[in-house]
Amino acid sequence: MKNSNHKNRILATTFLIMCFSNSLILFAGDLEKLVNLKKEWKFSIGDNMNWTSPAFNDKDWETIPVPSNWEDNGFYGYDGFAWYRTEFEIFPYYKKENLYLSLGFIDDVDEVYINGILIGFSGAFPPNYQTAFNANRIYPIPNNIIDFNKKNTISIRVYDSQLNGGIVSGDIGIFRNTSDLKLVIDLAGNWKFKIGDNLDWKKKNIDKESWENIMVPRFWRDIGYDNYDGFAWYRKEFYFNKNANQKYVLVVGKIDDIDEVFINGKLVGATGDMEDLVLKGTEYTQFRYYYLSKYDLKENQNNLIAIRVYDGMKDGGIYEGPVGIMELQTFQKFWNNYKKKESYKINPFWDFLIENLFK
């Protein structure tokens, strides 16, 4: 619900960005638009999961300009589910690039599919409704789901609870990353998530029925765990087809508060005191990077990354990227630039100030 509490969050976020943090601006500056998706999209109110399919015929749907409020385009007063669909093409030249779909701000909740495959979501649909109307959507696109030789289909499921609805604002398109942050494997995106603690969850073959989906990076409060403090686990499988003799670094961005990271069941890195759970209060500000040995990654097969997280208070989870695997030489160049940028970031004092200023 868009109440005063949400307005306070927006004010606090705006204040932080304007006064202290250039991280979002730098990230936006590192993205080059390849496909402009500011145009007329196909649109229908209602809800049907068959609409994710590229084979679905949407010729009888309405059209709507994106971005815009659907209330301003013939659907005044409508609250509920609606879908958007469009097609795009992209040159094979960009096959090896880190690609992102930018959708700006969506009111309130969304799931995004490319060629029928879920690539991202924000908020939570009813019955466990959680708005994400103030989240800027930038979703990584796995290159293996794109057909670089023909048209691809984007399908977006949206739920609006009240007032304005839809893909309402932002720079809509497909972008490539032009920064020093060149990931050989981008692990951002959809992960499996479960609260609780069980060291067996680092293993490959476990029961996954009770695990939820979560976008990484993002606080776990954004999927409804606003007041949860304690243990939780993240899991993701990825195919590794690179040179196993190359030296690699696993980067996991920032985590609130402490973590242990496993690849194929083996501990490859940790930050903080997981044994006694004594927090210094600064662990959440530390950028995680873990050097991998040539035996950690299994070449030409699926690998599993499992991350055990403990949060002592507020927020919780893998909340800031990048998250992925980089070649060592690339990481060294990235790290030198990252440290320069970090010198402009806010410190815990400003976290405290903003948290209390806008209560």
Side-chain angles (χ1 to χ4, degrees):
M1 185 175 290
K2 306 173 188 71
N3 53 26
S4 61
N5 187 37
H6 283 97
K7 291 178 182 176
N8 288 346
R9 287 186 186 179
I10 296 174
L11 287 170
T13 302
T14 304
F15 184 77
L16 285 171
I17 292 172
M18 289 175 61
C19 297
F20 303 107
S21 175
N22 65 351
S23 61
L24 294 178
I25 296 169
L26 286 168
F27 181 58
D30 291 334
L31 294 179
E32 175 192 352
K33 183 181 279 189
L34 303 179
V35 179
N36 183 16
L37 294 175
K38 283 187 172 184
K39 61 177 186 174
E40 297 285 321
W41 288 48
K42 291 289 189 174
F43 177 81
S44 177
I45 61 173
D47 192 32
N48 187 331
M49 294 307 295
N50 291 330
W51 296 345
T52 65
S53 172
F56 175 75
N57 188 345
D58 57 19
K59 68 180 180 63
D60 294 328
W61 282 21
E62 307 276 350
T63 60
I64 193 170
V66 171
S68 67
N69 298 319
W70 65 47
E71 278 83 358
D72 296 335
N73 290 277
F75 297 91
Y76 181 77
Y78 177 72
D79 299 320
F81 286 94
W83 284 72
Y84 295 77
R85 288 170 55 93
T86 195
E87 293 180 328
F88 70 91
E89 294 180 275
I90 194 164
F91 293 119
Y93 175 80
Y94 298 110
K95 244 180 202 181
K96 295 184 179 180
E97 298 282 351
N98 296 136
L99 301 177
Y100 299 87
L101 174 61
S102 171
L103 293 170
F105 294 87
I106 297 178
D107 198 344
D108 286 286
V109 184
D110 64 284
E111 286 179 345
V112 180
Y113 299 81
I114 292 183
N115 296 331
I117 298 170
L118 179 69
I119 67 157
F121 58 92
S122 296
F125 292 105
N128 301 312
Y129 168 71
Q130 178 87 19
T131 184
F133 78 98
N134 58 349
N136 187 16
R137 275 73 164 176
I138 300 177
Y139 297 128
I141 306 174
N143 284 26
N144 61 351
I145 71 171
I146 297 178
D147 191 326
F148 288 90
N149 297 305
K150 65 178 187 180
K151 290 182 177 179
N152 298 265
T153 301
I154 302 172
S155 308
I156 304 176
R157 183 190 190 204
V158 175
Y159 175 80
D160 175 55
S161 69
Q162 62 173 329
L163 303 179
N164 294 332
I167 306 172
V168 295
S169 65
D171 195 3
I172 316 300
I174 294 174
F175 294 75
R176 73 181 182 102
N177 173 26
T178 60
S179 73
D180 296 327
L181 199 170
K182 298 296 184 184
L183 300 166
V184 295
I185 298 178
D186 191 344
L187 294 174
N190 192 15
W191 287 55
K192 291 296 183 181
F193 175 80
K194 187 177 177 71
I195 62 171
D197 191 35
N198 186 333
L199 284 174
D200 285 341
W201 293 346
K202 68 184 178 183
K203 300 175 182 177
K204 271 194 174 183
N205 299 316
I206 64 167
D207 180 10
K208 304 171 197 167
E209 288 297 315
S210 59
W211 290 65
E212 300 179 68
N213 291 319
I214 191 170
M215 290 300 296
V216 170
R218 186 159 299 169
F219 288 117
W220 63 46
R221 71 176 182 209
D222 293 336
I223 61 168
Y225 293 99
D226 303 56
N227 301 311
Y228 178 72
D229 299 321
F231 283 101
W233 282 71
Y234 294 75
R235 289 168 56 93
K236 186 181 183 75
E237 290 192 10
F238 62 95
Y239 190 80
F240 183 74
N241 60 354
K242 311 300 179 183
N243 180 4
N245 293 318
Q246 173 67 263
K247 293 181 179 178
Y248 294 100
V249 179
L250 172 67
V251 292
V252 201
K254 293 183 179 180
I255 297 176
D256 188 11
D257 284 293
I258 59 178
D259 63 281
E260 291 179 337
V261 180
F262 303 85
I263 291 184
N264 299 321
K266 176 190 171 185
L267 181 67
V268 297
T271 298
D273 182 0
M274 200 60 103
E275 184 173 342
D276 296 323
L277 302 180
V278 176
L279 301 180
K280 297 177 182 177
T282 58
E283 293 91 347
Y284 77 99
T285 68
Q286 297 176 30
F287 185 86
R288 270 69 165 180
Y289 57 95
Y290 302 125
Y291 295 97
L292 303 177
S293 78
K294 65 179 181 179
Y295 305 107
D296 292 333
L297 297 168
K298 308 299 181 186
E299 193 173 2
N300 296 320
Q301 58 184 286
N302 280 334
N303 290 254
L304 171 73
I305 179 171
I307 302 180
R308 182 190 188 203
V309 175
Y310 176 80
D311 175 53
M313 62 178 294
K314 202 180 73 164
D315 300 328
I318 307 168
Y319 71 92
E320 183 178 302
V323 180
I325 296 172
M326 306 175 75
E327 292 182 353
L328 177 59
Q329 289 181 330
T330 304
F331 172 76
Q332 290 169 335
K333 183 178 179 182
F334 160 74
W335 182 243
N336 288 333
N337 289 332
Y338 178 86
K339 284 192 295 184
K340 294 175 186 175
K341 295 174 184 178
E342 279 293 286
S343 65
Y344 296 100
K345 288 236 180 156
I346 57 175
N347 60 31
F349 168 76
W350 292 113
D351 279 341
F352 173 81
L353 176 64
I354 301 306
E355 180 71 20
N356 288 276
L357 181 62
F358 290 99
K359 273 185 176 178

